Amino acid sequence: MATITASPPRVGLPAFLKHRAVHKLLLLAVAAAILVPLANARWASGSWPSALTLDFSQPLAKASDWIIDNRDSHPLFLYFFGHVSNIVVIAVRAVYLTLLAVGWAGVTAIGALVAWRVAGVKLALGTAVAFLACGLLGMWVPTMQTLALMVVAVIASVAVGAVLGLAAGLSDRMDRVLRPVLDTMQVLPAFAYLLPVVLVFGIGVPAAVLATVIYAAPPMARLTSLGLRGADQGVLEAVESLGSTARQRLLTARIPLARKELLLGLNQTIMMALSMAVIAAVIGAGGLGDRVYQALASVDVGAALAAGIPIVLLAVVLDRVTGAAGEKLGAEPEPHSGRGWLYALAGVVVVAVAGRLAGRLDWPDAWIVNIAEPVNRAVDWMTAHLYSGVPVIGGTADWAGHFTTWVLDPMRDGLQALPWWGLLLIVAALAWVIGTWRTALTAVLAMAAIGVLGVWKPSLDTLSQVLAAVAVTLVVGFAVGIAAARSDRLERALRPVLDVFQTMPQFVYLIPVVALFGVGRAPAVAAAIVYALPAVVRITTQGLRQVDPAALEAAGSLGATSWQQLRQVQLPLARPALLLAVNQGLVLVLAVVVIGGLVGGGALGYDVVFGLAQGDLATGLVAGGAIVCLGLMLDRVTQPTERRAKKGA
Amino acid sequence: MDTAPVFSVENLWKVFGPKADRVPADPELTALDPAELRSRTGCTAAVRDVSFDVRKGEVFVVMGLSGSGKSTLVRCLTRLIEPTAGTIAIDGEDVRAMDRSRLRELRRHRAAMVFQHFGLLPHRSVLDNVAYGLEIQGMGKAERRERAAEVVAKVGLEGMEHRRPGQLSGGQQQRVGLARALAADPEVLLFDEPFSALDPLIRRDMQEEVIRLHHEEGRTMVFITHDLQEALKLGDRIALMRDGRVVQLGTPEEIVGAPADDYVREFVRDVPREQVLTVRTAMRRPSADQDGSGPAVRPDATVSEAIEAVARAGAPARVVDKGRCVGVVDSDTLLGVVAGTEQLAPPGTRQPKEAV
């Protein structure tokens, strides 16, 4: 019982000084008092000093020129990237042609069969309906293009992720190396991955597939490692006590015990791959994403919607089917499941052959329902009647305009008017109070790197959009989350909505906001809010609901009103979850605000799009780097002290 | 009882912590108590200088409170935890000198373990869990399933072969664990607090099951428990551990009747002595005139049985061993045992009742 608590000397200090956060802030204030006058004397305050900026555009432009010049001659490209690129092209092409050769009837039947076997009749019907809807909307060929790219990317992602995950799961050293990298990759916006692959592979399918793999492999790797590490130690010991070899332990115990995490990893990888495969339209992925991209570029909401609906259907079906496969684990295996597969397979072959014989491989033109025109008519009507001048409430365009002039502009101007060192100090203070000196240091360095890259002003523009969007998201999200935590009925009603919203790729959120608000910064912010809201609501609800019921009961037994219970018990105990909601909100909002560059969001996102469109990779890469830094900074600022408590001694 | 021991453990140490090797080697450190050792070296000695033999066919119980080192001790026997110092021999073969494949062979065929939290594979059926040890050994599917089915029947789980562990109750899961250990037909069964996680009624069922199995097969068993009742019920001999040391090793009767120190005395205070002690311990020497009268009891009858005999006859009972009267118990001596006032000599000083 010899526990010695080291108690710091606490004589004569005012009570508030004992608080750790105050210690940190005081320390920071002292450091600032010394450093700021120095910095001020040397470089002026205001915007980031140009003396501290490095010009990357020249060397980057040179590098990009060099790559373009040497792409067909340098051995690195001939013997490595060239082969990678060829393999990817051939693989995607092969899958695509196979899908077309099977025909729409065959593909629909195969999809329904797989869904039936792993997830039941209801989802099989849903899958069939989804595929048929893709055809009806006249999107069969783009859907197959996207699907082909996805199949190749998912297989590659799963392979890469599983190998990395195995390494991290079995070796502590690999885990220490990989975990921070994977954790960081998880928070970066999809847009940031596009330019580096374009630099190496040029615009086209190989670049799109590789960007997708880079984006989608980390969740597989993380969950594989998590599953292997989380295996029940008691079971592993029992397996060892029976005299198993290390190989037998891995194959018969550790991997099967991790199957839940493995399937969850597969699910997440598929969803992220779909999300990226759509965004990668910007770098030549083709398919559904490209249709949306083209339509948005000409503000053709109807056409964008016709391509967007298949994306949403594909996302929902893929998520439900893989999710159902995970839930089915552990249930008793059905008898005769082999025979079921056999019958179903026979049915599929019959359908495919019938489709072939009927000469109906392509979706018949006569069956296409053109929704673009009616949708555009509706949008035109909205533009005419709802955009502005609606009595009392104003119009959507008015709202967007007011939001821009009253919220976004002052925030941007305020941020840009702050002295650069002031902003660094604010970042440091926030990150240090919430987290550790390490997270604070990373955040400050990331912020400073933005200045060094020479994109201080556009980054602050993006930051202002992010902050505005996050503020709205958190206010609405916390309110809805608290309400849902207190009412079972509301939660039940919200659940399917949140499920659908959380599975949709970022890209499709741009379609409705363009219809409602036109183009500009406000629609980008609106899309970001809609995208991040479901996650914030869900995390808040879960956090509040997971508060120890005993604590709530105790408070209730003392006669606390439900408002007191919420304020004094639930919210304080759910603080980690609320902080996580803020963190996730920031990460998700940034991802979409950046994509908002496609619909007039300007700032960093626009630089990326501009760089891609004009072949000016230097500008794009610098903007991409700034996005990465911004993402890192926002994540670290909201990172609690210890993300994972260390286990054992 | 003079057969060679199955397990022979001598001066076994297991020390956790930095540079654990130096602790058993240094007499100065070994003399320290656990708290001092921890503050001096940062090490924890889970098993300290333990020696015992497990005889063929006996149920050897290691009993102690949590943290006494008993679970570490049983894991050292098959090197699931690597011992720090000392020797372990199974049938005379040095376990600590075994290489990997020899050690695997030991775990596969000679010693199987049953765990407190079962350690079943949740994705396999009962039958495949039981057959798992055989699968590891490389036995073909049909053969191992057949063997497993026999064992499943033996532990009373017929009809549940195709269920998953998650669909079974705790008691049934532990029967699967027991069957898995039995399937490999090991020489020794090791039990690590197998019934601690079960509720009392099921625990009693499982204890009866172990007694039945031991009765039918005569397999050697090493049984770890923190439950004194369980130890007394199952154990032929009990090693009582405290802070990593064995404080007393003896038959249940010796532990209850002649505690080695105050710790053990405190431990066994509430045990119903009349159900553990035998009349051999309680009897007086017969006086010359008492040869023919009174009921006869066997020397290994419990005191409570003798009380019943004495009460029915209304006269002192004779303790008869192989037709010879070796002692007498009367109501006074028996009451003294029950009340705990009868002073029983500590082991070694009293007359032998068994070759020591």
Side-chain angles (χ1 to χ4, degrees):
Chain A
M1 291 298 106
T3 43
I4 301 153
T5 40
S7 54
R10 309 193 158 188
V11 193
L13 278 175
F16 78 93
L17 282 181
K18 289 178 192 159
H19 207 280
R20 284 187 48 191
V22 178
H23 274 244
K24 291 175 175 177
L25 285 181
L26 278 178
L27 217 65
L28 202 67
V30 172
I34 300 166
L35 292 177
V36 166
L38 280 177
N40 231 348
R42 217 188 132 99
W43 307 288
S45 6
S47 188
W48 186 268
S50 57
L52 289 178
T53 308
L54 292 175
D55 187 11
F56 287 95
S57 54
Q58 286 299 326
L60 278 175
K62 259 190 206 140
S64 127
D65 286 346
W66 182 86
I67 289 175
I68 292 167
D69 289 344
N70 290 280
R71 205 171 262 155
D72 300 324
S73 56
H74 196 276
L76 183 63
F77 286 93
L78 280 185
Y79 297 109
F80 182 67
F81 291 130
H83 285 303
V84 172
S85 165
N86 285 340
I87 291 169
V88 168
V89 170
I90 291 170
V92 173
R93 188 95 198 132
V95 176
Y96 176 61
L97 291 178
T98 311
L99 287 173
L100 287 189
V102 173
W104 63 267
V107 170
T108 306
I110 290 172
L113 160 70
V114 172
W116 175 48
R117 291 316 302 175
V118 303
V121 176
K122 248 166 105 181
L123 275 172
L125 278 177
T127 309
V129 168
F131 273 117
L132 295 178
C134 295
L136 277 175
L137 289 166
M139 286 292 155
W140 187 258
V141 170
T143 305
M144 290 306 111
Q145 283 170 343
T146 298
L147 213 53
L149 195 146
M150 286 261 308
V151 168
V152 173
V154 166
I155 290 173
S157 304
V158 167
V160 171
V163 168
L164 290 178
L166 268 177
L170 299 180
S171 141
D172 284 340
R173 190 181 299 171
M174 281 303 283
D175 188 49
R176 271 197 301 278
V177 174
L178 278 177
R179 184 174 281 181
V181 177
L182 295 175
D183 281 352
T184 306
M185 286 179 81
Q186 199 93 331
V187 302
L188 296 183
F191 236 45
Y193 293 104
L194 299 178
L195 276 147
V197 285
V198 170
L199 184 66
V200 176
F201 290 97
I203 285 182
V205 169
V209 169
L210 281 161
T212 308
V213 172
I214 295 171
Y215 187 62
M220 188 73 203
R222 291 183 73 194
L223 282 158
T224 306
S225 157
L226 194 74
L228 290 177
R229 290 187 171 268
D232 185 340
Q233 289 305 314
V235 177
L236 292 184
E237 188 181 33
V239 168
E240 192 183 353
S241 84
L242 290 163
S244 56
T245 61
R247 221 176 94 94
Q248 285 173 327
R249 268 200 294 287
L250 180 66
L251 293 179
T252 61
R254 286 188 90 167
I255 291 180
L257 285 175
R259 67 211 187 292
K260 265 227 157 81
E261 284 81 2
L262 291 177
L263 265 175
L264 186 63
L266 178 66
N267 172 289
Q268 288 199 6
T269 292
I270 290 178
M271 298 322 290
M272 296 194 64
L274 177 60
S275 180
M276 191 63 165
V278 174
I279 294 172
V282 186
I283 57 169
L288 293 169
D290 194 45
R291 298 296 178 99
V292 177
Y293 180 46
Q294 303 291 352
L296 282 180
S298 53
V299 200
D300 181 351
V301 175
L305 197 65
I309 290 171
I311 295 175
V312 173
L313 291 176
L314 219 52
V316 173
V317 162
L318 285 171
D319 182 54
R320 289 296 132 28
V321 171
T322 50
E327 276 161 28
K328 243 179 86 170
L329 282 178
E332 218 163 337
E334 282 170 55
H336 316 306
S337 72
R339 207 182 303 165
W341 275 104
L342 217 66
Y343 286 141
L345 207 66
V348 167
V349 170
V350 169
V351 172
V353 169
R356 229 196 142 88
L357 292 179
R360 283 272 166 99
L361 279 181
D362 299 330
W363 185 271
D365 284 341
W367 296 0
I368 290 174
V369 180
N370 190 353
I371 66 159
E373 269 175 49
V375 168
N376 278 338
R377 266 203 301 280
V379 171
D380 287 342
W381 181 87
M382 270 169 49
T383 316
H385 294 89
L386 297 182
Y387 257 35
S388 68
V390 179
V392 189
I393 54 166
T396 52
D398 292 344
W399 298 345
H402 292 152
F403 190 73
T404 310
T405 44
W406 290 345
V407 179
L408 288 177
D409 283 347
M411 278 187 83
R412 180 184 63 186
D413 297 343
L415 280 174
Q416 288 175 349
L418 271 179
W420 57 273
W421 43 261
L423 207 56
L424 290 187
L425 272 177
I426 292 172
V427 167
L430 275 176
W432 203 12
V433 167
I434 294 172
T436 61
W437 65 269
R438 274 166 202 277
T439 56
L441 191 67
T442 321
V444 169
L445 286 180
M447 198 66 211
I450 292 173
V452 173
L453 283 169
V455 282
W456 187 253
K457 284 211 154 179
S459 298
L460 292 188
D461 187 358
T462 299
L463 184 60
S464 72
Q465 295 177 36
V466 169
L467 293 181
V470 165
V472 178
T473 308
L474 291 183
V475 169
V476 179
F478 283 163
V480 176
I482 289 170
R486 294 165 71 81
S487 146
D488 286 328
R489 241 169 79 197
L490 182 61
E491 202 203 357
R492 264 202 307 279
L494 272 178
R495 194 178 297 153
V497 181
L498 295 181
D499 279 346
V500 171
F501 273 71
Q502 275 196 309
T503 52
M504 286 205 287
Q506 303 149 2
F507 212 51
V508 298
Y509 285 92
L510 296 178
I511 302 168
V513 295
V514 167
L516 274 176
F517 304 118
V519 294
R521 276 181 291 155
V525 168
I529 293 170
V530 181
Y531 181 65
L533 204 49
V536 171
V537 169
R538 180 155 276 173
I539 296 170
T540 310
T541 310
Q542 276 173 2
L544 289 176
R545 283 192 176 254
Q546 273 161 12
V547 165
D548 184 4
L552 269 184
E553 204 178 10
S557 78
L558 292 171
T561 64
S562 68
W563 172 244
Q564 281 173 323
Q565 283 183 27
L566 176 70
R567 215 163 40 91
Q568 294 166 352
V569 182
Q570 281 183 299
L571 287 179
L573 285 180
R575 232 181 74 177
L578 298 184
L579 193 59
L580 178 67
V582 176
N583 179 287
Q584 284 297 297
L586 280 168
V587 167
L588 297 174
V589 159
L590 175 67
V592 175
V593 160
V594 169
I595 294 174
L598 290 171
V599 294
L604 293 178
Y606 175 74
D607 283 352
V608 173
V609 180
F610 174 83
L612 285 169
Q614 303 295 317
D616 179 3
L617 291 187
T619 308
L621 276 170
V622 167
I627 293 171
V628 169
C629 293
L630 214 51
L632 257 181
M633 187 275 283
L634 290 170
D635 177 57
R636 291 305 187 272
V637 163
T638 47
Q639 196 138 104
T641 317
E642 280 294 308
R643 200 173 244 191
R644 281 166 291 273
K646 276 186 184 165
K647 265 193 213 158
Chain B
M1 279 294 211
D2 280 333
T3 46
V6 177
F7 269 116
S8 179
V9 175
E10 269 177 62
N11 309 113
L12 189 74
W13 281 82
K14 174 63 203 182
V15 182
F16 292 103
K19 291 191 227 146
D21 290 344
R22 70 203 150 124
V23 177
D26 185 346
E28 197 190 328
L29 292 176
T30 58
L32 297 175
D33 71 39
E36 278 181 279
L37 182 68
R38 205 186 165 81
S39 66
R40 279 267 298 271
T41 63
C43 290
T44 314
V47 176
R48 300 162 72 95
D49 200 18
V50 167
S51 303
F52 61 85
D53 285 350
V54 177
R55 297 172 192 152
K56 196 166 184 59
E58 78 172 334
V59 178
F60 186 87
V61 173
V62 180
M63 114 124 245
L65 299 182
S66 62
S68 61
K70 55 193 190 308
S71 288
T72 310
L73 176 64
V74 74
R75 282 170 173 71
C76 285
L77 293 180
T78 57
R79 281 171 57 195
L80 284 174
I81 290 178
E82 204 64 55
T84 314
T87 56
I88 305 167
I90 180 166
D91 297 324
E93 187 184 353
D94 187 354
V95 173
R96 292 194 66 203
M98 288 178 174
D99 62 8
R100 277 181 175 209
S101 68
R102 191 79 192 130
L103 188 62
R104 272 204 297 277
E105 198 272 336
L106 162 74
R107 290 174 185 168
R108 285 179 181 184
H109 298 290
R110 294 162 77 181
M113 194 152 162
V114 181
F115 293 87
Q116 180 178 5
H117 297 295
F118 323 134
L120 303 176
L121 293 164
H123 57 287
R124 288 171 170 241
S125 67
V126 166
L127 196 65
D128 285 337
N129 260 295
V130 174
Y132 183 72
L134 305 172
E135 182 184 338
I136 293 281
Q137 296 170 17
M139 189 183 281
K141 193 167 187 173
E143 192 187 352
R144 69 177 187 245
R145 285 203 159 167
E146 193 184 325
R147 276 270 288 281
E150 285 169 26
V151 188
V152 167
K154 192 188 271 178
V155 298
L157 285 176
E158 297 104 323
M160 304 201 181
E161 288 90 345
H162 299 293
R163 300 234 183 129
R164 295 290 168 94
Q167 299 167 313
L168 302 180
S169 71
Q172 289 168 333
Q173 289 191 44
Q174 195 54 292
R175 280 172 199 266
V176 179
L178 182 59
R180 181 177 62 185
L182 283 172
D185 193 22
E187 190 183 344
V188 194
L189 276 179
L190 309 175
F191 292 87
D192 177 30
E193 300 204 36
F195 310 140
S196 304
L198 307 179
D199 64 52
L201 286 179
I202 307 221
R203 191 182 312 161
R204 204 170 63 197
D205 278 357
M206 293 299 291
Q207 287 165 355
E208 301 293 343
E209 185 83 24
V210 167
I211 290 172
R212 183 178 68 81
L213 276 170
H214 184 245
H215 204 71
E216 284 172 8
E217 302 184 323
R219 212 184 291 272
T220 312
M221 296 178 177
V222 177
F223 199 101
I224 309 295
T225 181
H226 65 247
D227 178 354
L228 184 63
Q229 294 294 343
E230 190 168 81
L232 295 173
K233 187 171 182 181
L234 298 174
D236 291 322
R237 289 191 305 146
I238 299 170
L240 213 148
M241 286 186 77
R242 182 193 187 190
D243 291 339
R245 289 187 196 280
V246 172
V247 288
Q248 188 171 6
L249 197 163
T251 61
E253 194 180 359
E254 283 166 350
I255 297 225
V256 174
D261 62 13
D262 287 345
Y263 178 74
V264 182
R265 189 165 300 121
E266 194 60 19
F267 219 104
V268 300
R269 201 173 60 175
D270 295 332
V271 173
R273 297 154 62 86
E274 71 279 8
Q275 285 171 21
V276 178
L277 299 181
T278 61
V279 291
R280 204 203 306 264
T281 327
M283 68 191 181
R284 305 186 268 105
R285 286 181 190 289
S287 47
D289 60 326
Q290 239 167 351
D291 260 3
S293 66
V297 293
R298 284 172 291 106
D300 56 352
T302 61
V303 167
S304 75
E305 286 168 327
I307 290 174
E308 197 187 329
V310 169
R312 194 166 289 153
R318 290 172 301 125
V319 182
V320 180
D321 189 15
K322 292 172 190 142
R324 203 168 61 82
C325 175
V326 292
V328 179
V329 283
D330 55 24
S331 49
D332 287 349
T333 41
L334 292 171
L335 263 179
V337 171
V338 175
T341 53
E342 181 82 343
Q343 274 308 310
L344 302 165
T349 59
R350 66 179 280 106
Q351 72 277 35
K353 54 185 193 60
E354 194 181 78
V356 177

